[in-house]
Amino acid sequence: MTFESQNPATPPAPAPPRRRALTALAVTALGGSVVLSGCAVANSDSGSGSAAAASDTLRVVLQQEPPTLEPCEANLTSTGVIDRSTVTEPLIERNPETGELEPKLATEWSSEDDTVWTFKLQEGVTFHDGSDFTAEDAAATIERAVNSDLGCNVEGYVFGDDDLGVEVVDDTTLTVTAPQADPILPLRISFLEVVPSETSTTEKVREPIGTGPYQLESWDAGQKISLAAYDGYWGEKPAYAKAEYQWRSEGSVRAAMITSGEADIAMGLSPEDNIGDLGVPYPNNETVAIRMHNDKAPFDDIRIRQAVNYAIDKEGIVASLYGGRDQVAAQLVPEGIVGHNADLAPWPHDAEQAKQLVEEAKADGVDTGAQISLVVRTAQFPKIQELAQVIQEQLTQAGLNVKLKMLETSQQLTYQVRPFAEDEGDIGLMIQHGNQAGDAAFTVDQYMLSNGAQSAFGTPELDAMIEKADAATGEDRQAAFEEIFAYQNEEVVQFAHIAHQTGMIGKAATVDYAPNSSTGDELRLAEIKPAQ
């Protein structure tokens, strides 16, 4: 299996000698902000569209401030939307339109047995500190994110407990060895954002050094993040000299920043935010669901987990809160992902059946009055608080005791990723899962394996099914994952699936950009240009 770049970039002139990269301690010593030059909000005193068009600063407004820009946490939406392919870059990128893998910091990759993979790397690439990018940095990135005890989110999300063998052959050649044959290892590698080899392996960094078209200029905590185009970038120069991120939790406020000329791109909108013709829908592959924990009552009884599925009126939610744009979900991945099971039907809404299951469980001694914490991340997507309140009410009507917990990102992540936070009650976590890789392995490995990074529980039977599916190829792979999604719905019922979402951004008329299925997770600023 071989992939070669058809048009490798012409390498620029040799870079200066390597300088030591910032570690977490260095960032702390600088007070958490590396300030090279001031960057005010472009045209903040004017709503003029023409003034915005003349600006050299691309202004983006997000739903929330990222908790970190640590590259090994870039699979988290709030981090990746800034980091991925903008500040940092991977060896390989997945084209969100075609699903094909394309060269980035690697020019080609190949394997004879799907176990030992060889990667050839770009020459003439430098990091933002001026140091050369070599195979040593690529190897160190893999060791740091996958093989260390750093606890990177990407490790559990993509690689699980498996370590990789990494060997530097020369400055532009790297071999990576999987513990067993892995036909999608290059796809997994595409999730790793490359950092200098000197980056701390004992502490996570808040402000990264990368090879991307933009470098971090300053992070004013609670206010804004400013980027500047990197003069030494190895690829095509981006259209904007600067970029600035702000965050507002209310969708209507983000929309108003577009219509008033205060921002150029606004993330996470819906038509109800009064964005009008400046709202651009796109094929988002995010799925919303409730992940139930079974370590205590009442979710330790499958009848209660079934009752939750019956109690939630998914059709009503999609119609009333999301204008019928979303699609009621029967599984964690939408159509188009390898392994999607087209034969699965969503659970029907049956309030009486939900009540009956709760009553049956109660009669058998299940503590159905035990508190359930419905944990929800504030501003994660449009109308999330209204959605949470509807679900709380519907579960209460079924006879369950539900307490709503709206949490900021850093707090919610302690419930989302192992080790899970202790709570005074059983946990139902609202998740928004986007499979940007296009293969069900990136869903089931983390959400359904017994030791998955975001799995609340599993079964030995399901673990064996997942191991078999991960090693399969072609039609066998598709069939194996279809079986897994069916087994989850019938025998495990860890999830109450709600909807496959559609996305919408706000885009000023002065900006030229077509969003795609990856936009919500990685807004590649180099793809955004002034409108002609």
Side-chain angles (χ1 to χ4, degrees):
M1 195 179 292
T2 303
F3 186 98
E4 297 186 3
S5 167
Q6 301 302 311
N7 296 293
T10 302
R18 175 174 298 284
R19 294 200 298 273
R20 188 163 184 81
L22 280 178
T23 65
L25 290 177
V27 171
T28 302
L30 291 173
S33 180
V34 182
V35 183
L36 302 181
S37 64
C39 182
V41 180
N43 306 306
S44 58
D45 58 349
S46 172
S48 168
S50 59
S55 172
D56 66 351
T57 300
L58 179 66
R59 301 158 303 163
V60 180
V61 57
L62 308 173
Q63 301 98 307
Q64 55 195 312
E65 181 175 13
T68 181
L69 294 182
E70 162 59 62
C72 78
E73 309 280 51
N75 61 292
L76 298 173
T77 297
S78 55
T79 296
V81 73
I82 297 176
D83 273 2
R84 288 179 61 84
S85 296
T86 293
V87 176
T88 55
E89 296 178 309
L91 295 179
I92 302 167
E93 277 187 333
R94 178 179 179 270
N95 185 317
E97 300 291 343
T98 66
E100 298 296 321
L101 296 179
E102 298 178 343
K104 198 62 179 180
L105 294 179
T107 60
E108 59 181 273
W109 48 95
S110 61
S111 177
E112 295 181 357
D113 59 2
D114 287 345
T115 302
V116 180
W117 290 84
T118 300
F119 296 82
K120 298 294 293 184
L121 308 181
Q122 295 277 8
E123 297 183 55
V125 176
T126 61
F127 287 98
H128 298 153
D129 64 357
S131 60
D132 293 324
F133 160 70
T134 69
E136 179 185 352
D137 301 297
T141 294
I142 296 171
E143 293 282 4
R144 179 178 186 269
V146 180
N147 296 348
S148 76
D149 294 327
L150 195 58
C152 293
N153 194 277
V154 72
E155 179 182 8
Y157 179 75
V158 178
F159 297 95
D161 291 333
D162 291 338
D163 285 352
L164 299 173
V166 186
E167 181 181 352
V168 174
V169 178
D170 54 44
D171 280 353
T172 60
T173 310
L174 175 76
T175 64
V176 180
T177 303
Q180 57 270 330
D182 187 352
I184 63 166
L185 182 65
L187 183 56
R188 298 184 196 277
I189 293 294
S190 72
F191 280 85
L192 297 179
E193 300 292 298
V194 174
V195 295
S197 60
E198 296 88 354
T199 305
S200 174
T201 58
T202 58
E203 295 180 273
K204 294 178 181 179
V205 298
R206 182 172 180 266
E207 302 180 351
I209 291 173
T211 61
Y214 287 90
Q215 61 184 326
L216 183 67
E217 189 174 57
S218 65
W219 186 345
D220 301 326
Q223 299 297 320
K224 63 182 179 180
I225 292 174
S226 300
L227 308 181
Y230 175 44
D231 289 339
Y233 184 55
W234 63 278
E236 182 180 350
K237 182 179 179 180
Y240 293 89
K242 294 180 181 292
E244 182 176 277
Y245 300 88
Q246 296 187 58
W247 36 89
R248 302 289 186 272
S249 60
E250 292 294 328
S252 59
V253 173
R254 297 193 299 277
M257 292 178 71
I258 295 292
T259 58
S260 68
E262 296 179 68
D264 303 302
I265 298 286
M267 303 297 290
L269 297 183
S270 68
E272 291 79 14
D273 292 322
N274 297 317
I275 188 64
D277 292 341
L278 297 180
V280 182
Y282 62 94
N284 190 350
N285 65 11
E286 303 278 0
T287 300
V288 175
I290 302 297
R291 185 193 75 193
M292 292 173 277
H293 293 215
N294 76 331
D295 57 344
K296 60 184 71 169
F299 287 155
D300 58 357
D301 191 291
I302 192 172
R303 289 171 294 185
I304 302 300
R305 305 195 297 273
Q306 292 169 336
V308 170
N309 277 275
Y310 282 120
I312 298 175
D313 182 4
K314 295 165 282 292
E315 295 280 1
I317 286 169
V318 167
S320 62
L321 290 182
Y322 299 103
R325 297 180 300 276
D326 294 352
Q327 179 184 0
V328 172
Q331 57 205 291
L332 275 183
V333 297
E335 185 178 0
I337 303 297
V338 173
H340 171 82
N341 189 333
D343 293 332
L344 290 183
W347 287 69
H349 172 54
D350 190 334
E352 290 306 313
Q353 178 68 9
K355 291 179 182 177
Q356 182 177 335
L357 285 168
V358 172
E359 290 170 359
E360 288 178 3
K362 183 178 181 180
D364 288 341
V366 176
D367 185 4
T368 58
Q371 179 179 296
I372 297 168
S373 292
L374 179 58
V375 178
V376 180
R377 185 190 304 180
T378 303
Q380 188 174 18
F381 54 83
K383 297 186 179 295
I384 189 170
Q385 185 162 348
E386 293 92 329
L387 173 60
Q389 290 168 342
V390 167
I391 292 174
Q392 180 188 27
E393 174 62 22
Q394 291 176 347
L395 298 187
T396 300
Q397 291 297 322
L400 299 174
N401 175 20
V402 181
K403 176 183 179 182
L404 180 58
K405 283 191 171 183
M406 300 294 302
L407 302 177
E408 297 299 325
T409 301
S410 58
Q411 297 172 301
Q412 186 267 351
L413 287 175
T414 65
Y415 289 87
Q416 180 173 323
V417 183
R418 290 181 182 271
F420 301 129
E422 293 294 326
D423 198 273
E424 65 269 19
D426 208 350
I427 297 170
L429 177 77
M430 186 177 292
I431 63 170
Q432 182 192 34
H433 170 60
N435 188 317
Q436 302 300 338
D439 188 283
F442 294 91
T443 297
V444 302
D445 287 9
Q446 61 167 322
Y447 277 108
M448 297 186 194
L449 278 173
S450 296
N451 59 353
Q454 299 191 59
S455 175
F457 63 95
T459 70
E461 294 80 9
L462 189 55
D463 288 348
M465 293 170 67
I466 292 172
E467 182 179 357
K468 176 184 175 182
D470 284 347
T473 58
E475 293 181 0
D476 290 342
R477 188 178 187 87
Q478 172 68 29
F481 281 118
E482 287 183 9
E483 184 181 1
I484 286 169
F485 288 120
Y487 184 88
Q488 194 292 135
N489 287 11
E490 296 165 5
E491 304 294 336
V492 181
V493 199
Q494 181 185 180
F495 301 98
H497 307 105
I498 299 170
H500 302 305
Q501 296 180 304
T502 56
M504 176 173 283
I505 65 167
K507 181 174 72 69
T510 53
V511 169
D512 181 13
Y513 174 66
N516 55 63
S517 62
S518 293
T519 293
D521 292 290
E522 48 179 80
L523 181 66
R524 302 177 185 176
L525 296 193
E527 297 179 355
I528 305 175
K529 305 183 187 308
Q532 298 300 314

